[in-house]
Amino acid sequence: MFNSRYEALMDKFVIRGGNRLKGTIQVSGAKNAALPAMAAAILTDDPVVLENIPQVRDIETERKLLAAMGAEVELGYGRAHHRTSICCRNLASPEASYELVKTMRASTLVLGPLVARFGRARVSMPGGCAIGARPIDLHIKGLEKLGATITQEHGYVEARCDRLRGAEILFDKITVTGTEDLMMAATLADGETVLENAAREPEVVDLADLLNRMGAHIEGAGTSTIRIKGVSSLHGARHRIIPDRIEAGTFIIAGALAADELKIQNCEPRHLGALLQKLRECGVELQTEADCVVVRANGKLTAADITTEEYPGFPTDMQAQYMALATQAEGSSFIVENIFENRFMHALELVRMGADVRIEGRRAIVRGRTPLSAAAVQCSDLRASASLVIAAMVADGETILDRVYHVDRGYERIEEKLRSVGAEIRRIGQMFPKRATVPVAH
Ligand code: EPU
């Protein structure tokens, strides 16, 4: 997707609904685990080798970000598929520019590692985003507690210190990348750091596993108290990224709506607890094995309410896809979005396809079992796009989905994976020379 001289920037998906799905889909590595893992390579002179890296646009953006600083990054597309090797021995400029941060907010994950290793970091402040405000004040407050001096000027955060020192940090609010950023910074601090009210997401645990392999001393990842004993240096390591629980969940919902039998393989059902429990409540037929979930659509879905929460609660990253399912369930579902203030953009597009959704602040009320009909619709963010792909697969007729660069940020070849199990979905696009301006994707 990224190696040709041309990039398909304004691609659309054409999806004809109504096909039954049957077969096996392989889940890729987790984007949201791979991004912090790549940033962790900044903490050492040695190469860090990461396996099961998803081939998605956000990973390419992070490669560009690290390479712009002087890192050697080999993304193993081709022979060493899905492997990346990153060496940050010769980082020349500890800076993340606006051009890259604006296309991917997770770029701020380099802040903690840069200041811990080089005593200096300059990272553009991310602006607003399609799903909400998404400030980084908790990253900044935490780094100040660790002894960094932070200034904010001209849209950039600048952090400086001689050596970070361990501290007790109580997060006002649970933040996933905030926990990851400070955990990375604390590995090289003087003394012990305790993170309280830390995020418990599997991606945080995966990052702690990698850091411990690199020589860090981290305990408690996966609980709300994480203890990090600082060390003077870290070394290289090899690590396999966990499966993407949100990609897996997306295919499970597609299967619940349209599968004779769909096997979602290479996933980690333990990470999908809240989703699987809710789907069973809706009447979805599911079987789990060690590394796979098998789902069948029985056409007898009933409405159930969800409230998005931090892990292990129902993930905000599955809310949009769940809404697509709720449009086909008997009865009314109440969907409360607690994490981001503006994450219902997909609802308006679903309504254009015939869904009955009413938004009241942070709550959406979906009156179910309305037939969906194909329409021209637009992706507004990554998970909203997934919701529309699912809706289109059960809609009557041919849906044209515009702005699929949002999908490409986080789903690896979604159209090929779905086509391989019977969906009728194809990509059409205009090709632009690579130097063309990339549209801003949040
Ligand atoms: N927040 C603050 N201050 C901060 C940081 C966060 O007020 O300094 C607030 C946010 O505004 C939000 C809440 O805290 O209301 C939670 O945000 P969090 O920091 O946890 O989100 P994030 O770390 O920026 C990650 C994922 C998102 C996912 C959220 C929530 C990555 C790279 N991104 O974002 O993934 O939605 O956690 O689980 O890990 C996606 O993959 O589509 C995606 C958006």
Side-chain angles (χ1 to χ4, degrees):
M1 191 191 317
F2 303 109
N3 286 340
S4 70
R5 284 195 299 122
Y6 291 89
E7 260 185 323
L9 294 177
M10 302 307 281
D11 286 5
K12 298 182 193 338
F13 281 161
V14 180
I15 303 170
R16 176 165 291 281
N19 283 18
R20 297 294 286 181
L21 307 181
K22 194 173 171 51
T24 302
I25 290 191
Q26 306 288 338
V27 174
S28 299
K31 162 186 84 84
N32 289 349
L35 292 172
M38 289 174 77
I42 293 173
L43 293 163
T44 174
D45 262 359
D46 298 340
V48 170
V49 178
L50 301 169
E51 290 167 2
N52 207 25
I53 289 281
Q55 198 166 343
V56 297
R57 189 178 291 274
D58 274 7
I59 296 296
E60 172 62 10
T61 305
E62 180 131 351
R63 184 197 65 74
K64 282 190 193 145
L65 179 75
L66 293 170
M69 293 179 195
E72 288 165 41
V73 190
E74 278 175 40
L75 266 184
Y77 301 145
R79 265 187 309 165
H81 207 53
H82 297 131
R83 183 189 309 155
T84 178
S85 167
I86 304 168
C87 183
C88 293
R89 183 171 301 134
N90 300 316
L91 275 205
S93 97
E95 173 161 332
S97 73
Y98 178 61
E99 281 313 303
L100 291 165
V101 176
K102 78 177 181 189
T103 64
M104 189 184 70
R105 311 175 54 80
S107 309
T108 51
L109 277 167
V110 299
L111 186 60
L114 283 176
V115 72
R117 169 103 190 276
F118 298 99
R120 195 162 68 83
R122 190 165 179 270
V123 174
S124 170
M125 295 279 289
C129 165
I131 62 176
R134 305 184 75 183
I136 55 162
D137 56 310
L138 301 174
H139 301 231
I140 291 173
K141 268 195 211 163
L143 286 173
E144 280 175 340
K145 277 230 153 177
L146 292 174
T149 306
I150 312 264
T151 49
Q152 291 180 48
E153 252 182 3
H154 309 301
Y156 278 77
V157 181
E158 204 160 322
R160 281 176 186 274
C161 70
D162 290 331
R163 175 139 193 227
L164 296 174
R165 9 167 242 282
E168 287 202 6
I169 297 168
L170 168 62
F171 288 103
D172 294 341
K173 196 171 180 179
I174 299 175
T175 158
V176 178
T177 48
T179 300
E180 293 164 347
D181 203 8
L182 296 182
M183 190 165 78
M184 288 191 275
T187 57
L188 292 181
D190 219 357
E192 187 177 67
T193 297
V194 182
L195 303 179
E196 295 279 11
N197 201 24
R200 292 180 285 164
E201 268 66 5
E203 293 76 16
V204 173
V205 179
D206 197 46
L207 176 63
D209 286 348
L210 166 63
L211 293 168
N212 283 338
R213 279 201 183 122
M214 293 167 68
H217 289 256
I218 302 174
E219 277 177 14
T223 74
S224 45
T225 304
I226 302 178
R227 289 177 188 279
I228 305 132
K229 282 204 185 85
V231 294
S232 55
S233 66
L234 295 177
H235 51 74
R238 180 180 280 264
H239 176 74
R240 186 169 176 84
I241 299 293
I242 54 169
D244 195 314
R245 64 195 165 98
I246 306 302
E247 188 200 17
T250 302
F251 293 135
I252 292 170
I253 288 192
L257 286 171
D260 285 337
E261 182 173 296
L262 189 63
K263 189 172 192 178
I264 291 97
Q265 202 160 41
N266 288 343
C267 69
E268 181 53 85
R270 278 183 311 137
H271 296 162
L272 291 161
L275 173 70
L276 298 183
Q277 183 173 309
K278 191 52 70 177
L279 292 178
R280 287 195 168 111
E281 203 180 312
C282 294
V284 177
E285 274 180 50
L286 292 165
Q287 280 163 268
T288 59
E289 289 166 31
D291 72 340
C292 75
V293 175
V294 180
V295 59
R296 287 178 200 83
N298 58 13
K300 289 185 274 188
L301 298 176
T302 50
D305 303 339
I306 59 159
T307 298
T308 61
E309 282 165 13
E310 295 87 2
Y311 190 85
F314 193 97
T316 173
D317 290 344
M318 285 305 303
Q319 179 260 105
Q321 302 88 316
Y322 183 82
M323 189 182 284
L325 177 114
T327 67
Q328 301 307 301
E330 196 67 52
S332 292
S333 310
F334 288 68
I335 297 180
V336 178
E337 174 53 60
N338 260 334
I339 308 294
F340 294 112
E341 67 265 32
N342 188 31
R343 209 174 197 183
F344 283 140
M345 303 278 274
H346 46 282
L348 303 173
E349 300 299 288
L350 290 173
V351 167
R352 297 187 59 249
M353 297 176 74
D356 182 344
V357 187
R358 206 171 71 239
I359 307 290
E360 293 175 354
R362 286 194 170 229
R363 186 169 74 156
I365 302 143
V366 185
R367 204 175 54 79
R369 251 202 178 348
T370 48
L372 298 181
S373 64
V377 286
Q378 269 199 18
C379 304
S380 53
D381 75 82
L382 173 58
R383 309 303 171 187
S385 327
S387 163
L388 297 175
V389 168
I390 293 168
M393 290 199 301
V394 293
D396 183 24
E398 201 169 75
T399 294
I400 313 273
L401 194 65
D402 202 357
R403 302 195 177 179
V404 302
Y405 55 85
H406 286 296
V407 186
D408 294 334
R409 291 189 52 190
Y411 288 93
E412 179 171 334
R413 300 179 290 103
I414 191 170
E415 75 280 23
E416 286 176 34
K417 290 190 184 187
L418 288 171
R419 216 167 32 233
S420 75
V421 291
E424 200 173 325
I425 168 169
R426 65 196 156 86
R427 182 185 285 263
I428 54 170
Q430 267 175 288
M431 303 298 275
F432 287 87
K434 255 198 167 165
R435 272 177 299 164
T437 314
V438 177
V440 176
H442 294 290

